[in-house]
């Protein structure tokens, strides 16, 4: 396959926030995940130092919290102050001790070195509760909430710039689900009050690819929004934890941009695409497994709805399928970096995340290494590249049918602060290596590869089959990449 691009033909400079992450009060993401005061790895704030180090290594740029469905009945004041109020979390039907709240979250972000991004309760919450949360976080001393923060030991404002109003309030599964008209009015009034507290906020609101929902939302509240939030999970495993195979997962890579392009088109049609950016603020190949909880019919016994969630922790489920899909997803975000400014892997710790915690340490799942390569070796200037003579591969679709896609998915980048080029080259084909011919001979190429012995390779407590390997070539005009692999190629 022949690669074409010209350094002067660019799509844009990608915002580092497209490599963002999400963490929710669900299963072991917070309690027993990043926050575990009883762990031997815990620091003075109860945060796991091994997890913090891993998050720093992939330079997490922004972390969305506290949900997700959890947030739609969450009241932030339960989670601040010397006395915390344990609440029954009606979204996930467990008790939340609220020992991890806003101040602990801000400390987490400071220790990682990332921007905080708070999603507010637009389910049972009100415009006043959301704007009070902004007071608590961002006002110096004015009013009771800022004074409460100071009394809690935080004299300086937390300076939270990024806020999202609501989470999936369009869905019947969401607590406080709303019709489009009701939603647009709530977002307008909430955004107005939040901006009255801090007019420098960057606000997003829950959206999807539905025209009616988005048109009403943008007409009513578009003047207050700098972002619109969408989500994507392709292998829907909420009820049935029968995962798509490697080849079925590759079929999904042909449908990553469907919703994104619809929202992008609507923003352009409304003349908003130069002012409002897209935050793809929850994404993962794998939907989370939580049977009989995201549904109208709720489970009765804990074996119906609670203990099955432990199946999210099975590390052998997370293979090169997750790695190659995630790399293809990040390629799509880069190619749309002129309107996509943020994306958040859902989640970062445990469940379907890239970091798995256990008493003795952490496991870096294959997706973690994809972020490592993209964040630390790809350029920030996205080139408008195209490929010729792509070798086609046909993949089966889960549930029937098939789709034919190019074996290689390629992204070309340059650097705004230095010379050089870097390519992301994903080989979807699990059966054969493929060769990418370069537009010109490179004096030197450094190739970083994420891969394992097979497409089903994974990492676990007692195995480390998926790793990053490095090789160098000189005077090369082509790169051959292994089957089922993710590669970042630095060209000099
Ligand atoms: O399956 C987890 C849920 O997925 C998140 O809480 C929600 O935002 C999305 O529907």
């Amino acid at each position: 396959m022949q690669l074409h691009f010209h350094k002067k033909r660019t799509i844009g400079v990608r915002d580092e926030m497209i490599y963002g992450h999400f963490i929710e009060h669900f299963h072991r993401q917070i309690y027993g995940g990043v926050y575990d005061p009883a762990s031997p790895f815990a620091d003075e704030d109860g945060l796991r130092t091994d997890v913090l180090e891993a998050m720093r290594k992939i330079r997490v740029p922004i972390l969305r919290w506290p949900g997700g469905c959890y947030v739609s009945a969450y009241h932030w004041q339960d989670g601040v102050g010397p006395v915390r109020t344990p609440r029954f979390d009606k979204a996930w039907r467990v008790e939340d001790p609220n020992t991890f709240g806003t101040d602990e979250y801000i400390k987490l972000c400071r220790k990682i070195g990332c921007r905080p991004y708070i999603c507010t309760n637009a389910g049972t919450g009100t415009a006043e509760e959301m704007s009070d949360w902004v007071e608590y976080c961002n006002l110096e001393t004015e009013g009771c909430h800022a004074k409460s923060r100071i009394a809690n030991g935080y004299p300086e404002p937390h300076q939270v710039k990024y806020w999202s109003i609501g989470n999936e309030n369009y869905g019947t599964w969401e607590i406080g689900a709303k019709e489009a008209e009701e939603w647009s009015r709530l977002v307008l009034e909430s955004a107005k009050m939040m901006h009255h507290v801090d007019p420098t906020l960057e606000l997003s609101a829950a959206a999807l690819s539905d025209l009616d929902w988005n048109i009403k939302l943008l007409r009513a509240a578009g003047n207050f929004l700098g972002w619109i939030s969408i989500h994507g999970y392709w292998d829907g495993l909420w009820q049935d934890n029968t995962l798509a195979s490697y080849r079925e997962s590759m079929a999904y890579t042909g449908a990553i941009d469907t919703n994104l392009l619809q929202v992008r088109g609507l923003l352009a049609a409304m003349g908003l695409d130069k002012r409002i950016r897209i935050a793809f603020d929850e994404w993962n190949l794998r939907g989370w497994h939580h049977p009989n909880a995201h549904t109208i019919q709720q489970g009765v016994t804990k074996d119906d709805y609670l203990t099955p969630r432990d199946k999210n922790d099975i590390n052998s489920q997370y293979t090169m399928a997750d790695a190659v899909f995630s790399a293809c997803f990040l390629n799509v975000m880069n190619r749309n970096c002129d309107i996509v400014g943020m994306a958040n892997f859902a989640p970062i710790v445990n469940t379907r995340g890239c970091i798995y915690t256990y008493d003795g340490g952490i496991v870096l799942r294959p997706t973690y290494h994809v972020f490592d390569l993209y964040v630390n070796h790809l350029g920030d200037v996205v080139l408008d590249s195209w490929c010729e003579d792509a070798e086609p591969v046909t993949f089966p679709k889960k549930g029937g049918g098939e789709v034919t896609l190019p074996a290689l998915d390629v992204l070309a980048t340059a650097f705004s602060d230095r010379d050089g080029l870097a390519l992301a080259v994903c080989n979807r084909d699990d059966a054969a290596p493929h060769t990418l011919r370069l537009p010109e001979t490179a004096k030197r190429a450094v190739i970083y590869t994420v891969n394992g012995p097979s497409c089903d390779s994974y990492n676990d407590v007692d195995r480390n089959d998926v790793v990053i390997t490095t090789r160098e070539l000189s005077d090369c005009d082509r790169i051959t990449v292994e089957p089922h692999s993710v590669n970042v190629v630095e060209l000099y």
Side-chain angles (χ1 to χ4, degrees), residues 260-318:
L260 164 61
L261 293 178
Q262 288 169 344
V263 173
R264 176 184 191 123
L266 174 63
L267 287 170
M270 296 180 75
L272 297 171
D273 57 325
K274 297 294 183 275
R275 184 172 61 75
I276 292 180
R277 291 197 285 173
I278 294 171
F280 212 122
D281 58 19
E282 281 185 33
W283 71 270
N284 198 309
L285 163 63
R286 314 289 188 187
W288 305 0
H289 185 57
H290 40 65
N292 308 313
H294 222 30
T295 52
I296 303 304
Q297 180 57 44
Q298 297 283 303
V300 175
T301 69
K302 288 192 167 32
D303 281 345
D304 286 342
Y305 71 91
L306 192 57
T307 49
R309 297 175 193 177
D310 293 342
K311 292 180 184 175
N312 289 289
D313 278 347
I314 302 169
N315 286 313
S316 60
Q317 296 175 128
Y318 308 107

Side-chain angles (χ1 to χ4, degrees), residues 24 68-70 92 167-168 173 231 233 238 282 288 290 294:
E24 177 168 358
C69 293
Y70 169 82
W92 299 120
N167 176 80
E168 299 187 0
W173 58 83
H231 294 172
Y233 297 92
W238 346 108
E282 281 185 33
W288 305 0
H290 40 65
H294 222 30

